[in-house]
């Protein structure tokens, strides 16, 4: 969309709402207590010390925010965030209205947020349009590693003025990582199990993915990575047979995802695959696939215990 048209739409909406004045020069008037934060796109953004009308343009960041602030500080929520199978903060997410499935610029402006947190894939037109209207907009990069997720949590906590809570989750996750390390000490490299965690997005959990990095902490071999597949490579029949994973995990959406489960359980090509024959195709909460949030340590421990059930008796030693 032409930037001039975007700005014109924004101006019309603000006039309709009866808001006088727009643009960055009005930020200090609107938000008397402010500070600077660094945005991922290299911009220093003036944000309120204690923002009260926050909108995240990502379900992943919704989940992080719901662990940091009260729901009444959010002016909208992504629809996926309200599904228990997708988000471990779904119960709190249902307290937020409106529920959104997309983020058109004019709708964001109409919500009158005092802070927008945007993922790094948000279009430049949206970012510039919001900033042009005087709405503090901070871009946050997606976490593709466990350490990256921890950094995202603490960064977002600082952005919304809750650094202590960010530090709390940093400490919590690292304590869970220590437990993973302790449990993993009993699993020798030659006894590590291989796992194929599938997704409706082919290759999403493959080489170089967040799940790939999580496997290092869980003492698990991520089958695509161990087999040497390039990132984002689809898991076709021949590749799955060649990988021969010890476990196949299928994200559950109120039970298994039928399309994905049928692809493996009902496929004649896999009938002799040991994981199929020995009932090692298992459902796991879909939220574990999208655990780019404060629950990542819990998710890793749960997956590790599923792969190595013998660890259960040692987990409280």
């Amino acid at each position: 969309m032409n930037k001039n048209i975007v700005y014109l739409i924004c101006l019309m909406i603000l006039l309709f709402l009866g808001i006088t004045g727009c643009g960055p020069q009005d930020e200090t008037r609107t938000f008397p207590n402010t500070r600077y934060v660094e945005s991922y796109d290299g911009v220093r953004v003036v944000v309120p010390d204690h923002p009260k009308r926050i909108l995240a343009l990502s379900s992943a960041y919704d989940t992080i925010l719901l662990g940091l602030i009260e729901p009444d500080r959010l002016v909208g929520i992504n629809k996926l965030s309200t599904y228990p199978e997708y988000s471990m903060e779904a119960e709190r997410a249902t307290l937020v209205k409106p529920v959104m499935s997309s983020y058109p610029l004019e709708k964001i402006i109409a919500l009158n947020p005092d802070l927008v947190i945007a993922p790094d894939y948000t279009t430049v037109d949206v970012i510039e349009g919001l900033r042009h209207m005087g709405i503090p907009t901070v871009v946050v990069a997606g976490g593709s590693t466990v350490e990256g997720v921890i950094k995202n949590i603490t960064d977002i906590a600082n952005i919304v003025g809750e650094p202590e809570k960010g530090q709390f989750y940093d400490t919590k996750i690292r304590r869970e990582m220590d437990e993973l390390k302790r449990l993993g000490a009993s699993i020798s490299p030659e006894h590590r199990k291989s796992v194929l965690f599938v997704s409706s997005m082919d290759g999403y959990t493959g080489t170089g993915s967040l799940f790939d990095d999580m496997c290092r902490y869980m003492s698990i071999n991520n089958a695509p990575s161990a087999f040497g597949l390039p990132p984002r490579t689809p898991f076709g029949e021949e590749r799955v047979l060649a990988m021969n994973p010890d476990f196949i995990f299928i994200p559950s959406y109120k039970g298994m995802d039928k399309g994905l489960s049928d692809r493996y359980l009902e496929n004649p090509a896999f009938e002799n695959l040991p994981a199929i024959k020995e009932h090692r195709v298992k459902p796991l909460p879909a939220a574990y696939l999208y655990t780019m949030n404060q629950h990542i340590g819990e998710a890793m421990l749960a997956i590790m215990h599923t792969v190595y059930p013998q660890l259960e008796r040692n987990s409280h030693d």
Side-chain angles (χ1 to χ4, degrees), residues 56-288:
L57 308 186
S58 159
S59 60
Y61 296 159
D62 281 341
T63 301
I64 292 175
L65 286 168
L66 287 165
L68 297 170
I69 62 176
E70 291 303 312
D72 62 7
R73 287 176 64 186
L74 294 174
V75 295
I77 199 79
N78 188 284
K79 186 176 182 179
L80 290 176
S81 304
T82 66
Y83 296 164
E85 57 267 30
Y86 275 101
S87 172
M88 296 186 192
E89 296 287 350
E91 185 175 351
R92 285 165 64 81
T94 59
L95 301 175
V96 182
K97 298 291 184 291
V99 177
M100 309 172 72
S101 55
S102 63
Y103 303 97
L105 181 59
E106 58 272 21
K107 187 170 184 178
I108 299 172
I109 295 171
L111 290 172
N112 193 28
D114 60 7
L115 173 66
V116 171
I117 298 176
D120 54 4
Y121 54 77
T122 306
T123 64
V124 173
D125 279 354
V126 170
I127 300 298
E128 291 186 355
L130 291 171
R131 288 174 178 165
H132 179 78
M133 304 314 294
I135 298 174
T137 303
V138 183
V139 180
V140 177
S144 59
T145 65
V146 173
E147 288 292 341
V149 170
I150 296 172
K151 184 177 187 302
N152 270 6
I153 296 165
T154 55
D155 283 352
I156 291 174
N158 290 332
I159 292 167
V160 300
E162 303 289 348
E164 305 86 0
K165 291 183 181 177
Q167 188 55 52
F168 167 81
Y169 285 121
D170 183 310
T171 302
K172 170 186 176 291
I173 296 169
R174 295 193 185 282
R175 187 167 59 244
E176 291 159 343
M177 290 164 65
D178 287 342
E179 176 67 0
L180 288 163
K181 184 176 181 180
R182 185 188 74 80
L183 293 171
S186 64
I187 304 165
S188 60
E190 61 270 20
H191 288 107
R192 289 189 176 188
K193 301 295 185 181
S194 65
V195 167
L196 177 63
F197 202 157
V198 300
S199 167
S200 55
M201 296 177 284
D202 275 339
Y204 182 81
T205 56
T207 303
S209 65
L210 174 59
F211 182 72
D212 194 21
D213 190 59
M214 290 164 64
C215 283
R216 296 191 304 108
Y217 296 91
M218 298 184 290
S219 300
I220 291 170
N221 293 326
N222 188 28
S225 180
F227 192 67
L229 293 181
R232 297 284 180 172
T233 302
F235 310 144
E237 291 177 3
E238 291 185 5
R239 291 192 177 110
V240 172
L241 290 169
M243 285 188 278
N244 189 22
D246 293 304
F247 288 87
I248 298 174
F249 290 141
I250 297 177
S252 58
Y253 308 89
K254 299 178 181 176
M256 276 196 181
D257 179 283
K258 182 161 177 55
L260 280 174
S261 61
D262 285 353
R263 188 190 303 182
Y264 293 90
L265 295 175
E266 304 300 328
N267 190 338
F270 297 143
E271 62 185 2
N272 292 317
L273 195 68
I276 302 288
K277 293 174 67 176
E278 297 169 18
H279 308 291
R280 285 185 268 113
V281 178
K282 297 181 177 293
L284 283 182
Y288 291 177

